[in-house]
């Protein structure tokens, strides 16, 4: 018999008894063989058993036609007797075709695979029209030979269980999505369920993890509270309260805990459910609010003003200690009085006015600031500034009032009025300007003297006209801002000097003194101060400054002349200093040329004016008046070129040069006019001051000395240069001598070391020159050497190359940055140039004409190399050239 099959080869009226086996054995149903079996005595007993068990039982043949069923199955199918099902199929029973198709599909699968299927959940339409959920088992039936002959089907109606599961599923989903942390424990306190919010809040990912840590009591910061909660639940009670708990990581949290018992239908405790709402943030907020409220109360106490908050019935929520100091009454005393206003205003009329003000505040719903005089508990009087507003809170009107004691201020104001009256005469008749201004800089009061200083006919005209002191009065607005800054910082300013505009637009200098006037509480009332016209003093100071600056300028120019012999530097310094000192647009030095023209030698010019550097002008451009003035060493000062009696073309020329006004001072060398020094005003006309003209005259005299000195220096330089030239040239050949050769070689040698470059030397000797002198005479010999020197000079192409007379009939060449190949080419060129001279030499054993032998040495010198070594190397090469027959060049190359 195969595994999981039922043998139905022995039938007994369609009923059979399955034999129980474990899950490792075959599930077979065997029928009793003996007719005397207890189950067949009588046969009705089996029917009684199958008909009274809660499960429905049905069996089908191989073609899925029903062979029988018990009463439960018959009732569900709408049959009166079980026998009525025999021969029917699933399509004949209640239900849809789709359900029948599914049943038959699974039946065939069980028979084909010979594998039972258990706990199949299926939806089935019953005969009474209800839709039921069935828990079905299907087992294949086999005969004695193991052939599958049918299928046994049992099912149990689990509709209520499915509905309960669905309900529980909905509950579970709701609990799972709940933001509160929900946990369930059994009657023994063992944790059996927690939603995701619970896992997140307490940081235990699973039920097992929390139970391993000690269960729900572990989350309580105070174990006694956990015991209290569980004791209440065990008695069937619920528990509500705020509890401090602790998470897995040790973080303390505050929760609102709701714990309820879970009971079965009989009322027996089967578990408990706890809901934890995290109120940590709320508690912190409440704590912060409490702290803020306490801070607010401290502020109320220290604000420095009396503060009250009361309702319409006269109950005070706030009555701070400052208020007690102001009135002399305590909070309890004013509440017992029943009418606070009556305490402060015992007089009938004043009380009536106070009540009217309160009614007005309620009506207009705005803050009112009122100066009032109250009576204190000790029968004294104080002047207060009272600010009152109406607040709405829970449909109630509350009155918030602030009381500031201004008694001292009022007394000060009254004293000020008396003092003002007392000193008004002094104010009106003072010779210095006196003013009072508001904090934002508007004139409140000025005396007649200030009006006169600023050029107004009366104080009223000044106050009316000067509405913006910074922009209308001060020439430099930054000075006004600096004055205000110092005054705000120090409360006083002394001897503050500025330039201001008078009413007619003219500018004067003033010195200001000012201070802040404050009340006893330190509040600013106004600024007051004095103004003095210091224009004459500033002009005198400016004259002294200019005199000192002229002396400095003259000293600087004289010092430059003494220290420098370079005329160009002196001239440039002069025009720069002149333009800066006179604040002109341009300063020039112009020189007369030999051809009668004038050229701008040096210039200092400011943007955006045109540069005249290098411009040449003829004397025909100048009127005879100018030329005559120059010749007579006179100064020309034009304040306006259009009123200087110039010809039209001359005015046009000056316009082209952007000159509107100028000063021209001649510069003489003895009786000769060398040039002139000029200052140009290009932006407009200018009234030249006498001291400015005198300055230019003094500078022109200094420049004349500098020019003479520079000319002497130039001649001395020329003489020195000629002496230097004579000292470094050979007198016969007019090429550099041995001294110049040594000096030049030393410098080029050092350069070659720095640049790691080659340098070549050529020593050149005239072949058999002694025989030439003996044959043709020394005078012919000197001429021959001169021709050879010129030929050597023609042979070199670079300015850095040097040809020198080395001594007697020997010449030497220095070729910087030249390798051996380049030096050899130069040597061959020399030989060709000498041969091209065709100077006859009858006694020469090398040629019928004058020839030369050349020794070449090329070196890349190092720091420890010696110049003499290279010369010796060239000398050895020359020796070899002579030994090899003369009229040739021999090269010797060596790298150090």
């Amino acid at each position: 018999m195969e595994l999981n099959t039922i043998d139905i080869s022995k039938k007994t009226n369609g009923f059979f008894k399955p034999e129980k086996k474990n899950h490792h054995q075959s599930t077979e149903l065997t029928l009793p063989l003996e007719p005397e079996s207890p189950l067949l005595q009588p046969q009705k007993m089996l029917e009684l058993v199958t008909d009274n068990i809660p499960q429905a039982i049905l069996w089908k043949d191989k073609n899925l036609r029903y062979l029988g069923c018990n009463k439960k199955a018959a009732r569900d199918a709408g049959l009166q007797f079980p026998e009525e099902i025999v021969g029917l199929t699933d399509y004949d029973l209640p239900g849809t075709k789709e359900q029948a198709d599914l049943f038959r599909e699974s039946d065939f699968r069980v028979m084909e695979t010979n594998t039972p299927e258990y706990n199949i959940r299926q939806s089935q339409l019953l005969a009474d029209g209800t839709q039921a959920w069935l828990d079905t088992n299907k087992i294949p039936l086999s005969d004695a030979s193991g052939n599958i002959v049918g299928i046994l089907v049992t099912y149990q109606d689990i509709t209520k269980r499915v509905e309960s599961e669905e309900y529980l599923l909905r509950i579970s989903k709701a609990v799972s999505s709940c933001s509160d942390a929900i946990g369930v424990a059994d009657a023994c306190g063992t944790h059996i369920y927690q939603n995701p919010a619970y896992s997140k809040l307490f940081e235990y990912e699973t039920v097992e993890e929390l139970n391993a840590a000690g269960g729900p009591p572990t989350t309580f910061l105070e174990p006694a509270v956990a015991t209290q909660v569980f004791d209440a639940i065990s008695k069937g009670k619920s528990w509500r309260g705020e509890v401090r708990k602790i998470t897995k990581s040790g973080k303390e949290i505050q929760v609102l805990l709701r714990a309820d018992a879970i009971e079965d239908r009989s009322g027996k405790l089967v578990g408990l459910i706890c809901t934890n709402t995290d109120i940590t943030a709320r508690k912190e907020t409440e704590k912060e609010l409490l702290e803020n409220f306490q801070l607010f109360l401290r502020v109320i106490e220290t604000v420095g003003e009396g503060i009250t908050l009361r309702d319409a019935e006269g109950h005070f929520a706030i009555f701070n200690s400052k208020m007690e100091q102001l009135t002399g009454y305590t909070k309890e005393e004013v509440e017992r009085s029943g009418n606070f206003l009556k305490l402060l205003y015992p007089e009938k009329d004043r009380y009536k006015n106070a009540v009217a003000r309160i009614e007005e505040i309620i009506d207009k719903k705005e803050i009112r600031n009122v100066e009032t005089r109250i009576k204190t508990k000790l029968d004294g009087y104080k002047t207060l500034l009272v600010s009152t507003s109406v607040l709405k809170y829970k449909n109630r009107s509350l009155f918030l009032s602030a009381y500031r004691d201004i008694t001292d201020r009022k007394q000060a104001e009254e004293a000020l009025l008396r003092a003002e009256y007392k000193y008004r005469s002094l104010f009106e008749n003072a010779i210095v300007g006196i003013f009072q201004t508001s904090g934002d800089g508007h004139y409140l009061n000025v005396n007649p003297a200030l009006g006169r200083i600023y050029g107004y006919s009366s104080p009223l005209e000044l106050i009316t006209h000067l509405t913006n002191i910074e922009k209308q009065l001060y020439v430099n607005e930054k000075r006004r801002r600096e004055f205000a800054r110092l005054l705000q910082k120090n409360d006083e300013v002394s001897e503050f000097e500025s330039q201001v505009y008078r009413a007619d637009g003219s500018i004067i200098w003033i010195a200001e003194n000012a201070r802040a006037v404050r009340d006893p509480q330190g509040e600013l009332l106004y600024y007051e101060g004095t103004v003095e016209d210091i224009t004459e003093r500033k002009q005198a100071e400016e004259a002294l400054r200019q005199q000192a600056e002229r002396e400095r300028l003259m000293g600087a120019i004289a010092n430059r002349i003494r220290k420098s012999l370079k005329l160009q530097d002196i001239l440039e310094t002069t025009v720069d200093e002149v333009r800066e000192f006179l604040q002109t647009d341009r300063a020039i030095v112009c020189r007369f040329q030999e051809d009668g023209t004038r050229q701008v030698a040096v210039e200092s010019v400011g943007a955006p004016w045109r540069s005249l550097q290098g411009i040449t002008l003829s004397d025909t451009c100048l009127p005879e008046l100018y030329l005559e003035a120059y010749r007579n060493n006179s100064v020309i000062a034009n304040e306006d070129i259009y009123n200087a009696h110039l010809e039209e073309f001359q005015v046009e020329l000056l316009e082209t040069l952007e000159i509107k006004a100028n000063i021209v001072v001649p510069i003489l060398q003895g009786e000769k006019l060398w040039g002139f020094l000029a200052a140009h005003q290009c932006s407009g006309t200018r009234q030249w001051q006498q001291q400015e003209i005198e300055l230019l005259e003094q500078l022109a005299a200094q420049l004349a000395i500098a020019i003479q000195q520079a000319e002497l220096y130039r001649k001395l330089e020329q003489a020195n240069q000629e002496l230097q030239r004579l000292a470094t040239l050979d007198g016969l050949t007019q090429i550099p001598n041995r001294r110049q050769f040594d000096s030049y070689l030393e410098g080029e040698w050092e350069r070659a070391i720095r640049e790691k470059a080659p340098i070549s030397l050529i020593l050149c000797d005239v072949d058999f020159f002694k025989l030439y002198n003996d044959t043709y005479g020394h005078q012919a010999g000197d001429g021959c050497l001169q021709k050879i020197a010129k030929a050597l000079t023609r042979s070199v192409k670079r300015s850095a190359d040097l040809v020198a007379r080395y001594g007697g009939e020997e010449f030497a060449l220095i070729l910087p940055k030249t390798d051996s190949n380049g030096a050899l080419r130069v040597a061959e060129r020399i030989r060709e140039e000498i041969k091209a001279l065709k100077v006859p030499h009858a006694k020469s054993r090398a040629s019928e004409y004058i020839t030369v032998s050349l020794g070449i040495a090329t070196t890349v010198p190092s720091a420890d190399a010696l110049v003499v070594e290279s010369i010796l190397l060239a000398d050895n090469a020359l020796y070899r050239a002579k030994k090899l027959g003369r009229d040739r060049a021999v090269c010797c190359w060596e790298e150090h």
Side-chain angles (χ1 to χ4, degrees):
M1 189 175 295
E2 296 183 5
L3 181 65
N4 295 327
T5 61
I6 296 178
D7 184 1
I8 59 170
S9 58
K10 305 293 190 288
K11 297 183 179 177
T12 167
N13 289 334
F15 295 94
F16 49 83
K17 174 187 176 183
E19 181 181 303
K20 293 183 180 180
K21 296 193 175 185
N22 61 39
H23 63 280
H24 296 296
Q25 296 175 318
S26 299
T27 303
E28 299 180 352
L29 295 179
T30 58
L31 301 178
L33 300 178
E34 298 300 329
E36 61 275 10
S37 172
L39 292 178
L40 298 178
Q41 298 174 1
Q43 178 178 334
K44 292 295 184 181
M45 182 174 290
L46 181 57
E47 295 177 4
L48 182 63
V49 172
T50 58
D51 288 341
N52 287 282
I53 62 176
Q55 289 83 8
I57 303 175
L58 309 97
W59 51 95
K60 308 177 186 179
D61 63 14
K62 190 173 183 180
N63 295 318
L64 300 182
R65 290 186 175 276
Y66 283 101
L67 298 176
C69 69
N70 66 351
K71 287 184 178 181
K72 166 68 175 166
R75 285 194 304 272
D76 291 343
L79 303 175
Q80 188 174 2
F81 302 105
E83 292 81 3
E84 295 178 21
I85 202 170
V86 176
L88 300 179
T89 67
D90 289 315
Y91 296 104
D92 300 320
L93 299 181
T96 65
K97 179 179 180 301
E98 289 77 11
Q99 289 177 334
D101 290 340
L102 290 173
F103 293 160
R104 292 174 65 82
E105 181 183 349
S106 62
D107 291 344
F108 280 123
R109 185 172 62 250
V110 168
M111 290 189 295
E112 289 173 358
T113 62
N114 194 19
T115 302
E117 294 184 0
Y118 301 107
N119 303 117
I120 306 170
R121 283 198 176 188
Q122 293 176 319
S123 177
Q124 174 65 44
L125 182 64
L126 302 182
D128 60 4
T130 61
Q131 193 77 23
W133 280 95
L134 307 179
D135 184 3
T136 305
N137 300 309
K138 294 185 178 183
I139 303 172
L141 299 175
S142 61
D143 59 15
S145 301
N147 298 316
I148 302 300
V149 295
I151 186 169
L152 175 67
V153 179
T154 67
Y155 67 81
Q156 185 174 358
D157 189 344
I158 59 170
T159 303
K160 291 185 178 180
R161 189 175 79 190
V162 170
E163 291 175 351
S164 298
E165 288 177 353
E166 290 177 349
Y167 174 74
L168 291 175
L169 180 60
R170 290 195 297 272
I171 295 297
S172 174
K173 288 181 178 178
V175 170
S176 296
S177 61
C178 183
S179 60
D180 288 336
I182 300 176
V184 179
D186 60 18
C188 299
T190 303
H191 196 50
I192 60 175
Y193 171 79
Q194 63 187 41
N195 69 344
Y198 191 99
S199 302
K200 181 178 180 181
L201 180 61
F202 294 106
E203 302 173 356
Y204 294 97
E205 295 184 3
T206 63
V207 169
E208 291 76 18
E209 185 180 8
L210 179 55
N211 283 328
T218 307
T219 64
F220 286 81
L221 190 65
E222 301 172 355
V225 177
T227 303
Q228 179 184 349
V229 173
F230 285 107
D231 286 348
I233 297 304
S234 64
K235 296 176 182 178
K237 299 179 181 179
S238 296
W239 196 93
R240 302 285 187 276
E242 295 180 359
V243 180
R244 289 188 301 159
K245 288 197 170 188
I246 189 168
T247 67
K248 178 183 176 182
S249 64
K251 182 175 68 175
E252 183 178 338
I253 58 176
Q254 195 89 3
V255 301
L256 176 63
L257 178 64
R258 299 181 295 278
D260 296 288
I262 302 175
E263 299 176 345
D264 61 13
R265 293 180 179 178
S266 63
K268 180 182 178 181
L269 180 70
V270 295
L272 71 156
I273 181 169
C274 295
T275 303
N276 300 267
T277 303
D278 187 2
I279 59 172
T280 305
R282 192 192 79 192
K283 297 300 288 185
E284 290 177 353
T285 301
E286 290 175 356
K287 179 181 178 183
E288 183 179 352
L289 288 174
L290 178 59
E291 291 175 350
N292 288 340
F293 181 71
Q294 293 172 346
L295 177 60
F296 170 72
L297 291 180
R298 289 198 297 272
V299 171
I300 291 296
E301 285 299 317
T302 59
V303 73
E305 295 183 356
I307 304 295
T308 64
L309 180 64
R310 66 180 179 88
D311 59 17
E313 288 74 33
H315 300 295
F316 284 83
I318 297 175
F319 192 92
N320 69 347
S321 58
K322 183 65 177 179
M323 196 63 190
E324 294 182 3
Q325 295 175 16
L326 289 175
T327 65
Y329 296 104
T330 65
K331 178 182 177 182
E332 292 75 15
E333 287 174 332
V334 297
E335 287 188 336
R336 283 198 305 268
S337 72
N339 193 329
F340 181 48
L341 293 180
K342 277 282 188 183
L343 294 179
L344 300 182
Y345 307 102
E347 299 87 352
K348 183 178 179 180
D349 292 341
R350 301 184 66 247
Y351 171 73
K352 184 178 179 180
N353 291 335
V355 172
R357 287 196 297 268
I358 295 297
E359 291 175 350
E360 185 180 1
I361 292 171
I362 296 174
D363 182 51
K364 294 186 177 180
K365 299 178 182 179
E366 62 181 9
I367 298 175
R368 289 294 304 275
N369 297 316
V370 177
E371 287 188 8
T372 184
R373 190 165 179 262
I374 68 165
K375 186 176 182 181
T376 67
K377 181 179 179 180
L378 299 177
D379 291 334
Y381 286 91
K382 291 183 178 180
T383 303
L384 304 180
L385 177 64
V386 183
S387 300
T388 302
S389 61
V390 180
L391 308 178
K392 288 293 185 180
Y393 178 72
K394 293 184 178 180
N395 296 323
R396 297 173 60 198
S397 293
L398 300 179
F399 297 90
L400 177 64
S401 299
Y403 297 78
R404 178 183 299 177
D405 187 354
I406 60 172
T407 305
D408 292 339
R409 192 186 80 185
K410 295 299 289 185
Q411 293 173 351
E413 289 175 355
E414 293 172 0
L416 181 63
L417 288 174
R418 291 193 297 270
E420 183 178 358
Y421 177 78
K422 181 178 179 181
Y423 294 106
R424 191 67 187 178
S425 176
L426 178 63
F427 176 80
E428 293 290 339
N429 297 293
I431 61 173
V432 298
I434 302 175
F435 65 85
Q436 289 177 341
T437 64
S438 62
D440 58 358
H442 288 84
Y443 282 115
L444 302 175
N445 200 4
V446 300
N447 71 340
L450 186 62
R452 290 192 297 272
I453 290 174
Y454 289 163
Y456 294 95
S457 59
S458 67
L460 180 60
E461 183 185 5
L462 186 152
I463 294 174
T464 304
H465 181 76
L466 290 181
T467 57
N468 189 326
I469 297 176
E470 180 177 305
K471 294 186 178 298
Q472 291 179 271
L473 183 62
Y474 284 78
V475 174
N476 185 348
E477 296 178 11
K478 293 181 179 178
R479 290 297 292 170
R480 171 61 185 180
R481 291 194 287 270
E482 177 64 11
F483 176 77
R485 186 189 69 80
L486 293 173
L487 189 55
Q488 291 174 1
K489 178 181 177 182
N490 304 319
D491 265 6
E492 64 177 358
V493 177
S494 299
E495 295 297 323
F496 190 87
E497 297 181 357
S498 307
Q499 285 183 296
V500 297
Y501 294 109
R502 299 184 83 240
D504 59 3
S506 60
I507 296 175
I508 62 172
W509 279 93
I510 62 169
E512 292 180 272
N513 300 286
R515 70 180 186 92
V517 178
R518 301 182 180 276
D519 63 15
Q521 286 73 39
E523 294 294 326
L524 177 68
L525 299 177
Y526 53 85
Y527 294 112
E528 66 179 14
T530 61
V531 173
E532 182 182 358
D533 186 348
I534 59 170
T535 305
E536 291 184 1
R537 190 189 79 193
K538 295 297 289 186
Q539 290 173 347
E541 291 175 355
E542 179 63 18
L544 290 174
R545 187 194 66 78
Q546 290 184 357
Q547 178 62 30
E549 182 64 17
R550 285 197 301 272
E551 293 175 358
R552 182 203 65 79
L553 179 59
M554 293 303 302
I557 298 298
N559 187 54
R560 176 61 65 93
I561 292 173
R562 286 194 300 270
K563 290 186 176 181
S564 175
L565 296 174
K566 295 182 179 179
L567 180 59
Q568 187 70 15
D569 290 349
I570 296 171
L571 296 178
E572 290 176 355
T573 301
T574 301
V575 293
D576 287 340
E577 294 283 358
V578 166
R579 189 168 74 89
E580 180 180 356
F581 178 74
L582 298 183
Q583 292 296 295
T584 59
D585 298 322
R586 186 191 295 127
I588 65 171
V589 171
C590 199
R591 183 173 184 179
F592 285 92
Q593 306 297 320
E594 294 295 333
D595 59 1
T597 61
R598 294 171 295 115
Q599 187 176 46
V600 177
V602 292
E603 171 192 56
S604 177
V605 61
W609 310 113
R610 175 185 175 185
S611 172
L612 306 183
Q613 186 77 41
I615 287 182
T616 301
L617 299 172
S618 67
D619 280 346
T620 57
C621 298
L622 291 175
E624 186 62 30
L625 177 64
Y626 273 39
L627 294 175
E628 187 63 26
Y630 292 160
R631 296 187 190 102
N632 296 331
N633 193 22
S634 299
V635 176
I636 295 175
N638 291 320
E639 297 179 355
D640 183 356
I641 63 171
Y642 300 105
N643 296 316
H645 307 291
L646 299 176
E647 298 292 338
E648 183 178 351
F649 76 92
Q650 293 164 342
V651 172
E652 291 176 354
L653 173 62
L654 293 176
E655 286 178 340
T656 303
L657 302 178
E658 299 179 326
I659 300 172
K660 299 291 191 303
N662 62 347
I663 300 178
V664 182
V665 180
I667 302 173
L668 299 176
Q669 285 292 288
E671 298 298 326
K672 183 180 179 183
L673 183 63
W674 183 90
F676 58 80
L677 171 64
H680 297 163
Q681 194 69 21
C682 302
S683 56
T685 61
R686 174 163 176 171
Q687 184 176 357
W688 300 105
Q689 302 298 319
Q690 183 59 36
Q691 58 264 32
E692 295 173 338
I693 298 173
E694 292 174 357
L695 171 67
L696 290 186
E697 287 181 315
Q698 293 172 0
L699 288 176
Q702 291 291 331
L703 289 180
I705 296 173
I707 293 168
Q708 185 178 15
Q709 180 177 290
E711 182 63 22
L712 292 174
Y713 177 70
R714 184 184 63 80
K715 292 178 179 179
L716 180 60
E717 280 284 294
Q718 291 177 346
N720 287 335
Q721 291 174 1
E722 181 62 21
L723 289 174
Q724 181 67 20
R725 188 185 68 81
L726 294 174
T728 57
L729 291 181
D730 177 60
L732 176 64
T733 61
Q734 293 301 301
I735 63 173
N737 58 17
R738 173 67 178 271
R739 178 182 176 185
Q740 177 65 7
F741 171 84
D742 291 338
S743 175
Y744 190 73
L745 179 58
E746 189 72 28
E748 291 302 319
W749 187 267
E750 293 296 329
R751 187 195 306 275
I753 292 174
R754 289 194 305 272
E755 299 178 0
K756 297 181 180 179
I759 185 171
S760 295
L761 300 180
I762 301 177
L763 291 183
C764 176
D765 188 70
V766 182
D767 294 329
F768 304 111
F769 189 70
K770 186 176 181 304
L771 294 176
Y772 185 89
N773 271 338
D774 294 343
T775 304
Y776 300 101
H778 288 283
Q779 188 173 359
D782 290 344
C784 178
L785 291 177
Q786 290 172 340
K787 292 179 181 178
I788 291 173
K790 292 179 181 179
L792 291 173
T793 303
R794 290 194 300 271
S795 300
V796 295
K797 306 298 183 183
R798 301 182 308 174
S799 60
D801 297 338
L802 180 75
V803 177
R805 186 178 180 188
Y806 199 67
E809 68 272 18
E810 286 187 325
F811 296 88
L813 288 86
I814 302 173
L815 308 176
K817 296 183 181 180
T818 304
D819 58 15
S820 57
N821 291 331
L824 188 59
R825 286 194 295 271
V826 172
E828 289 300 325
R829 198 158 53 240
I830 291 171
R831 290 182 60 243
E832 294 299 324
E833 286 284 345
I834 298 299
K835 285 184 178 181
L837 295 175
K838 292 187 177 182
V839 177
H841 191 352
K843 299 294 183 178
S844 173
R845 294 193 288 272
S847 172
E848 60 181 316
Y849 300 109
I850 285 290
T851 60
V852 293
S853 298
L854 301 103
I856 305 169
T858 300
T859 307
V860 179
S862 60
D864 56 352
L866 299 176
V867 175
V868 68
E869 293 177 351
S870 184
I871 295 175
L872 182 60
L873 201 63
D875 192 55
N876 291 336
L878 177 60
Y879 176 77
R880 289 182 59 196
K882 289 180 178 181
K883 193 159 186 172
L884 291 174
R886 290 184 168 84
D887 188 19
R888 68 190 64 234
V890 173
C891 182
C892 185
W893 188 88
E894 180 176 346
E895 182 177 358
H896 289 270

